[in-house]
Amino acid sequence: MAPSTPPADWISRKALLSLHKSARARFVWVNIRHALPRSLRSYTRRKHRAIVLWWALRALRRNPRGNRKIWHDLVYGWGNPRWSALPEYLDAIAAAASATSGPVLECGSGLSTLVLATIRAGSGRVCALEEDAEWAARVESALARHGLTADVQYARVRRYEHFDWYSVDPFALPVVSLVVCDGPRGSTRGGRYGLLPVVGARLAPGCRILLDDTARDEERHVLDRWATEYHARIELFEGDEGYAEVWL
Ligand SMILES: C[S@@+](CC[C@H](N)C(=O)[O-])C[C@H]1O[C@@H](n2cnc3c(N)ncnc32)[C@H](O)[C@@H]1O
């Protein structure tokens, strides 16, 4: 009579065989890739990234709270890791977006815009300020490709009295209870400080701000100023790039 469960050594042989097969498949693929012309290699990498991004957004739609694999696949699939939100920050965004309702303001668009638009699909506006017109167009086309909606507003960075920040009419923005603050670029005069003086009036009482890149001195300085001048409460999260949760 056949055993109802396979013997242990049968399982390990099967496991080893499949490992061997996938290792061999990887070996073959690596060698084929090296033999391909550079343009074809970069084409296949782009296609692979696009497929991974598509699957990861699909997985996020089904599980809006996300998980490690989804965050890593999104970062890989988006293909802009030096500039995009990293897994730890994406996880914080998903937690905050699931815990709050209403419109979200984002400063600095990109992968995080796709994540917010996926989590908030059909349940609240995502308004993203973007300083670079070409980048704004690229983010908009990625949103459209994935059937997502967000309001990406091109707003060049302009000079205010003691700092630079996006040129926006604060009263054209919705009142929000969540801000994802990952822009303007680090090289901006005053960094991301301008959020509170320029659009502070549009932040609902108890509004939560997620500030990225707090491992950098510029962002620490911004936090100090917000705490002193706006009595902001701050919780820091260490990590590759670090981020902070700020409450008003
Ligand atoms: C830190 S990035 C924002 C990243 C965004 N939150 C994301 O998750 O992808 C801040 C700004 O840098 C600019 N930027 C994005 N990718 C860039 C790149 N590869 N090179 C130069 N600037 C870039 C865009 O204007 C963006 O708003």
Side-chain angles (χ1 to χ4, degrees):
M1 198 175 73
S4 56
T5 52
D9 73 328
W10 186 85
I11 294 171
S12 59
R13 252 189 296 140
K14 275 219 40 139
L16 275 175
L17 184 66
S18 60
L19 195 70
H20 169 73
K21 272 190 189 156
S22 67
R24 197 170 56 182
R26 267 204 305 276
F27 177 79
V28 170
W29 170 237
V30 165
N31 280 286
I32 288 176
R33 258 187 62 192
H34 281 299
L36 292 175
R38 186 189 282 263
S39 58
L40 197 54
R41 245 188 287 162
S42 80
Y43 172 82
T44 52
R45 196 179 309 121
R46 267 204 320 278
K47 284 287 165 205
H48 184 242
R49 285 208 159 113
I51 291 166
V52 171
L53 182 67
W54 189 87
W55 276 103
L57 285 173
R58 185 173 182 265
L60 183 62
R61 213 166 291 137
R62 292 174 171 194
N63 169 19
R65 190 50 198 84
N67 58 43
R68 271 173 72 87
K69 179 167 168 33
I70 292 178
W71 307 139
H72 281 95
D73 284 354
L74 286 173
V75 172
Y76 167 79
W78 182 241
N80 189 26
R82 275 194 57 204
W83 291 79
S84 75
L86 291 184
E88 62 194 11
Y89 190 54
L90 292 175
D91 192 54
I93 291 173
S98 310
T100 52
S101 55
V104 181
L105 175 66
E106 182 183 49
C107 307
S109 66
L111 176 58
S112 49
T113 318
L114 266 67
V115 166
L116 282 167
T118 303
I119 295 172
R120 283 299 177 89
S123 67
R125 182 175 162 198
V126 176
C127 178
L129 303 179
E130 177 48 56
E131 69 198 88
D132 181 324
E134 267 181 42
W135 187 253
R138 190 169 152 186
V139 174
E140 277 179 329
S141 88
L143 287 163
R145 208 164 39 249
H146 293 282
L148 297 167
T149 314
D151 175 13
V152 181
Q153 291 188 16
Y154 165 57
R156 65 182 174 77
V157 166
R158 80 158 172 89
R159 188 169 265 276
Y160 290 80
E161 209 180 338
H162 302 297
F163 58 87
D164 294 348
W165 207 68
Y166 301 101
S167 53
V168 281
D169 170 8
F171 295 99
L173 295 175
V175 173
V176 298
S177 51
L178 175 62
V179 182
V180 172
C181 187
D182 194 17
R185 290 178 186 147
S187 51
T188 307
R189 189 174 60 109
R192 295 163 185 178
Y193 169 76
L195 173 71
L196 294 191
V198 180
V199 298
R202 309 307 284 166
L203 309 190
C207 178
R208 216 159 149 182
I209 301 165
L210 288 177
L211 177 69
D212 199 13
D213 303 314
T214 54
R216 298 195 303 216
D217 290 345
E218 295 88 333
E219 272 64 33
R220 291 294 181 110
H221 186 56
V222 166
L223 288 173
D224 289 344
R225 292 185 70 187
W226 284 353
T228 313
E229 298 169 26
Y230 295 91
H231 310 290
R233 286 174 295 132
I234 292 157
E235 190 174 355
L236 277 171
F237 296 86
E238 306 292 340
D240 290 338
E241 295 184 340
Y243 70 92
E245 278 203 41
V246 180
W247 290 269
L248 294 179

